[in-house]
Amino acid sequence: MKYLKKYRALMMIFIFPLLAIMCMTIENIIYPDDPQVNSDIQIGVDIKLVPENDDNTQLTFAVLAPKSWNLADNAELFITTTGYTKGDISNEKMVLMPESEIEPTTALPWSTALQSEIGLMGNLGPVEWVVFHTQTTFIITDEDEKLITANVKINLTTGSENIKLFMGYFFCGKNRGLHDEYYEPNAKTKVLTVMGGSNPLLDYTTVSLVSTVPASYGWGDIFSLKFETVAGAVETPLKDAAKVYLYGKVFYADGNDSTVVDVISDKTLMEKVGETTWQKYIYPKDFFNLPDDAVITEAKFHFSNEDQSIIVKQASGDDFVIMETCN
């Protein structure tokens, strides 16, 4: 048994260096000042590679972004290296990873593998991993390459909506992929907020229990108020309610007058449209019985079960507030 343990220890000494090809870290993420909707922006990512063994590989770089931005068609990535003794590259355009390419450790397409192994990095809205790789194959000889630094420039076009999210970044050697735990330090996020649109801010970084369909509406429109009894890791006390009712309070005439609708009836009964999702279509002036010339400024809502023994408001204890986003 003593000799077996000694043999295993010796084997680990020889095997481990073969696994730890490079120590890779994201050192810095640079955003533009005040990014706006429907705009071309540039993001910079500084990375560091410390070779720990010989290898020949292209570098893979992935970006986690809103699906609506369609980075596969609307982004370009360029990489510049410093310290690569066999010839640095300057502003080399990176190539979109073909959907047919398989990540070697999971046998899944690269974007699917990243979502499976790394996840959505805290985002609660529709985001996706879009994967690129270098054209250059780096011939790594640890005796020659002591430190390689690189800068990746990401040119992309933002979408039309105000949005806040955890933008995600990841890189690795293409031939090793998500090998064991060594890939985990290669992923990093930084919050990006894009403004200038007409919609209320879509905040993918926090749980959203209340939304409207469409996202842009005016007080003269019919729109749907949606309520999620479960959103992300948050479960409200109305999760298993048989019926959910809407309480509403509207402010009008420059905020000096208000009207409340607080009845348990078909008028306030919401429709269940998903396992944990309820909605109610309203035309505000009709719902609140307002005169045609009333000027609405804002509306507040909360939700209850049939006997009003359970009421769901914001975590602060305040009602949910909505304001028109177009007129």
Side-chain angles (χ1 to χ4, degrees):
M1 182 63 71
K2 182 192 299 182
Y3 293 109
L4 181 58
K5 289 181 178 179
K6 183 177 180 180
Y7 173 77
R8 287 176 175 168
L10 287 171
M11 286 299 293
M12 288 305 296
I13 291 173
F14 288 109
I15 291 173
F16 182 75
L18 297 178
L19 302 181
I21 301 302
M22 295 185 201
C23 175
M24 301 182 176
T25 54
I26 292 177
E27 299 292 296
N28 196 22
I29 301 168
I30 306 99
Y31 287 155
D33 295 331
D34 191 28
Q36 296 290 295
V37 300
N38 296 320
S39 297
D40 296 330
I41 66 171
Q42 185 176 91
I43 296 170
V45 180
D46 295 327
I47 60 181
K48 182 175 72 174
L49 305 86
V50 180
E52 297 181 356
N53 209 329
D54 298 349
D55 194 21
N56 296 340
T57 185
Q58 294 172 319
L59 293 181
T60 294
F61 192 92
V63 183
L64 183 69
K67 288 184 177 181
S68 60
W69 289 8
N70 191 18
L71 257 59
D73 293 330
N74 296 320
E76 291 185 328
L77 275 64
F78 299 88
I79 184 169
T80 298
T81 66
T82 303
Y84 178 47
T85 62
K86 297 175 181 63
D88 280 315
I89 57 175
S90 178
N91 218 36
E92 176 185 285
K93 186 174 181 179
M94 302 189 76
V95 179
L96 184 68
M97 188 76 74
E99 293 183 6
S100 58
E101 289 264 8
I102 300 300
E103 191 279 318
T105 67
T106 61
L108 297 171
W110 272 90
S111 58
T112 305
L114 286 168
Q115 180 165 333
S116 173
E117 300 301 312
I118 297 178
L120 302 183
M121 305 192 83
N123 288 293
L124 299 171
V127 293
E128 63 180 349
W129 284 103
V130 183
V131 187
F132 299 80
H133 66 82
T134 60
Q135 299 181 57
T136 296
T137 297
F138 291 85
I139 303 171
I140 303 298
T141 309
D142 66 340
E143 291 86 356
D144 299 332
E145 317 300 340
K146 303 305 179 185
L147 172 64
I148 301 172
T149 60
N151 172 261
V152 178
K153 293 179 181 177
I154 305 163
N155 297 328
L156 61 85
T157 302
T158 60
S160 61
E161 297 176 314
N162 298 324
I163 191 168
K164 178 181 179 182
L165 76 152
F166 296 109
M167 286 285 288
Y169 309 92
F170 172 82
F171 74 107
C172 67
K174 184 181 176 185
N175 66 339
R176 296 282 171 169
L178 309 179
H179 189 82
D180 289 342
E181 75 275 11
Y182 302 113
Y183 68 86
E184 293 177 359
N186 304 6
K188 187 169 286 188
T189 64
K190 185 176 180 180
V191 172
L192 178 69
T193 304
V194 175
M195 298 299 291
S198 60
N199 65 295
L201 179 68
L202 301 175
D203 190 348
Y204 288 3
T205 67
T206 59
V207 172
S208 178
L209 298 176
V210 177
S211 61
T212 62
V213 178
S216 296
Y217 61 89
W219 295 126
D221 298 329
I222 297 173
F223 59 89
S224 169
L225 194 68
K226 293 186 70 175
F227 170 54
E228 303 287 347
T229 61
V230 177
V234 175
E235 293 187 1
T236 74
L238 289 173
K239 174 187 174 184
D240 297 318
K243 295 181 179 180
V244 172
Y245 291 84
L246 179 69
Y247 163 98
K249 183 175 184 179
V250 69
F251 295 85
Y252 61 101
D254 295 326
N256 295 320
D257 295 320
S258 63
T259 295
V260 172
V261 173
D262 185 16
V263 294
I264 300 299
S265 69
D266 288 344
K267 181 182 179 72
T268 56
L269 177 64
M270 303 189 76
E271 175 189 6
K272 191 172 186 178
V273 293
E275 186 176 352
T276 60
T277 304
W278 299 77
Q279 74 173 8
K280 180 71 177 180
Y281 278 95
I282 64 171
Y283 175 60
K285 290 183 180 179
D286 180 64
F287 183 79
F288 289 104
N289 296 316
L290 300 180
D292 290 340
D293 60 351
V295 179
I296 300 173
T297 54
E298 69 175 17
K300 296 184 177 182
F301 297 93
H302 65 245
F303 308 91
S304 75
N305 60 350
E306 190 166 11
D307 64 8
Q308 297 186 310
S309 60
I310 300 174
I311 292 177
V312 173
K313 299 184 178 182
Q314 296 189 71
S316 63
D318 297 326
D319 286 339
F320 297 95
V321 177
I322 67 168
M323 302 177 69
E324 75 174 343
T325 54
C326 64
N327 51 36

